[in-house]
Amino acid sequence: MASSRRARVVVIGGGQAGLATGFYLRRSGLVPGEDFVILDATAEPGGAWAQMWPTLRTFSPTQYSSLPGWMMPAWTGDSGYPLAAHVVDYLTHYEKRYELDVRRSVPVDAVSRGDDKHLVVHTGDGDWLAEHVVSATGTWSRPFVPTYPGLFAGRQLHTADYRRASDFIDQRVLIVGGGNSAAQILAEVSLVAETTWVTLRPPRFLPDDVDGRALFEIATRRHRARQLGEQDTGGVSGLGDIVMVDSVREARDRDVLHAREPFASVVDDGVRWRDGTESSFDTIIWCTGFRPQLSHLSTLGLRGPDGLIPTDGTQAIKEPRLHLIGYGDWTGPASATLIGAGRTARDLLAKL
């Protein structure tokens, strides 16, 4: 067991939010590997992007999908927006470009209170004493699947497990969820399988000319309004939920973007609808989102009734030495996006 080490800041998570934080820590004058370290549970760079299905695309051109300091290289693969592998390559080179000290294959088991000045970050590779801890573990490792009555004997998988449409050739596939992942997976799988789409409410599609660029501008206005104490604009909720990337537009042209209301229960070979009728399926794909990965912080006892840690911006209210970034609007507007992570990381530095 390695002995305890010290750093002014320990960042937990080496994905986009952790790298953006590292950039601003370095720019503030802190030395990577001495003043701060980034601990990452995975063996390879790229964060969650390295675990996503290969045909997933960003919602924006590269200049609107970049971390601070270095714009993502232009995507030249086709006329669409960048694929996941392009983002992984960018994050890999970003880490090297700024010489960020990312310690890989170092999962964090827990964070506890040390003395009045330090938190203790516990890992299998020894403990770290840190004046500040930044949690940037994201949500990808905590896929959420809702509970329904009954048992389904067929195959079930989550967005996190999906890889390619060809796995479902000639099957009957039920896709559950009303977000972008569901729409993109539906668009692909419907080319090779008989698909049915279920959403909690009718899906809402953004206009064709609204992509990540417009979403970023809306999120920016929302952020400024909050800073000025003005009324929260509510983000993009009035426009819709689903970005019309090329594959989704093509699926619309094939007339497959029709959703049914939720079913009442699952049965051995499918689902039972609310009117009592049943439909048979070979596979259910749950595109039902993720939850924040916060298990390493449970020993601090900070969670509220909703399971989240109350924060002022990124700073935990009951433990100001702890900051959280990259979990969505809860820890900063659009903080779970590439460009939003950078802005949130910049604001975080003001409180260290």
Side-chain angles (χ1 to χ4, degrees), residues 21-320:
T21 302
F23 170 87
Y24 280 111
L25 288 170
R26 187 177 187 274
R27 198 173 79 164
S28 73
L30 299 186
V31 179
E34 297 181 18
D35 299 316
F36 74 93
V37 295
I38 301 174
L39 307 180
D40 192 73
T42 64
E44 302 294 334
W49 288 97
Q51 303 171 52
M52 297 176 185
W53 66 97
T55 51
L56 176 68
R57 291 185 182 272
T58 67
F59 301 146
S60 311
T62 53
Q63 63 267 36
Y64 289 91
S65 302
S66 300
L67 294 180
W70 181 43
M71 187 176 295
M72 183 186 294
W75 167 250
T76 58
D78 54 31
S79 60
Y81 292 151
L83 291 169
H86 188 72
V87 182
V88 172
D89 185 68
Y90 167 65
L91 294 177
T92 301
H93 285 87
Y94 187 94
E95 180 180 317
K96 295 177 180 178
R97 181 186 183 96
Y98 293 107
E99 300 179 329
L100 300 175
D101 187 11
V102 182
R103 313 286 176 96
R104 299 209 168 276
S105 299
V106 183
V108 170
D109 301 319
V111 177
S112 64
R113 295 179 177 87
D115 54 32
D116 291 340
K117 188 176 182 180
H118 297 94
L119 293 174
V120 185
V121 180
H122 303 273
T123 82
D125 189 41
D127 296 344
W128 286 86
L129 300 179
E131 295 177 28
H132 300 274
V133 170
V134 178
S135 183
T137 50
T139 63
W140 188 261
S141 60
R142 279 200 66 203
F144 170 74
V145 175
T147 300
Y148 277 91
L151 294 173
F152 175 61
R155 181 186 181 191
Q156 298 186 66
L157 67 156
H158 189 271
T159 305
D161 308 306
Y162 176 81
R163 285 297 173 267
R164 61 191 66 85
S166 59
D167 292 339
F168 309 98
I169 292 175
D170 295 331
Q171 290 189 19
R172 298 160 299 176
V173 180
L174 178 65
I175 298 170
V176 184
N180 286 287
S181 295
Q184 288 197 37
I185 291 174
L186 171 69
E188 295 183 2
V189 175
S190 62
L191 291 169
V192 300
E194 177 186 330
T195 54
T196 300
W197 190 19
V198 163
T199 60
L200 284 175
R201 54 180 173 77
R204 300 186 304 172
F205 303 99
L206 288 161
D208 286 6
D209 60 347
V210 175
D211 59 15
R213 290 170 290 189
L215 298 179
F216 172 67
E217 292 168 359
I218 292 170
T220 299
R221 290 198 295 270
R222 183 184 185 193
H223 179 63
R224 289 173 179 166
R226 284 178 166 181
Q227 286 184 319
L228 296 173
E230 298 173 353
Q231 183 176 0
D232 192 338
T233 62
V236 299
S237 58
L239 292 177
D241 301 314
I242 298 171
V243 179
M244 300 301 290
V245 298
D246 289 349
S247 62
V248 178
R249 287 200 297 269
E250 187 273 335
R252 180 187 60 195
D253 294 341
R254 288 188 286 112
D255 201 32
V256 298
L257 298 184
H258 301 291
R260 294 192 60 164
E261 292 183 354
F263 44 88
S265 63
V266 295
V267 295
D268 183 68
D269 65 344
V271 300
R272 179 175 295 117
W273 303 101
R274 291 174 176 176
D275 64 3
T277 61
E278 296 184 1
S279 296
S280 297
F281 296 100
D282 301 296
T283 300
I284 300 176
I285 304 177
W286 299 96
C287 302
T288 44
F290 300 81
R291 297 293 183 264
Q293 175 52 270
L294 303 173
S295 60
H296 57 293
L297 303 176
S298 61
T299 52
L300 296 174
L302 300 174
R303 291 199 190 193
D306 59 357
L308 302 180
I309 296 174
T311 60
D312 177 10
T314 62
Q315 191 171 35
I317 292 174
K318 294 183 178 179
E319 179 46 81

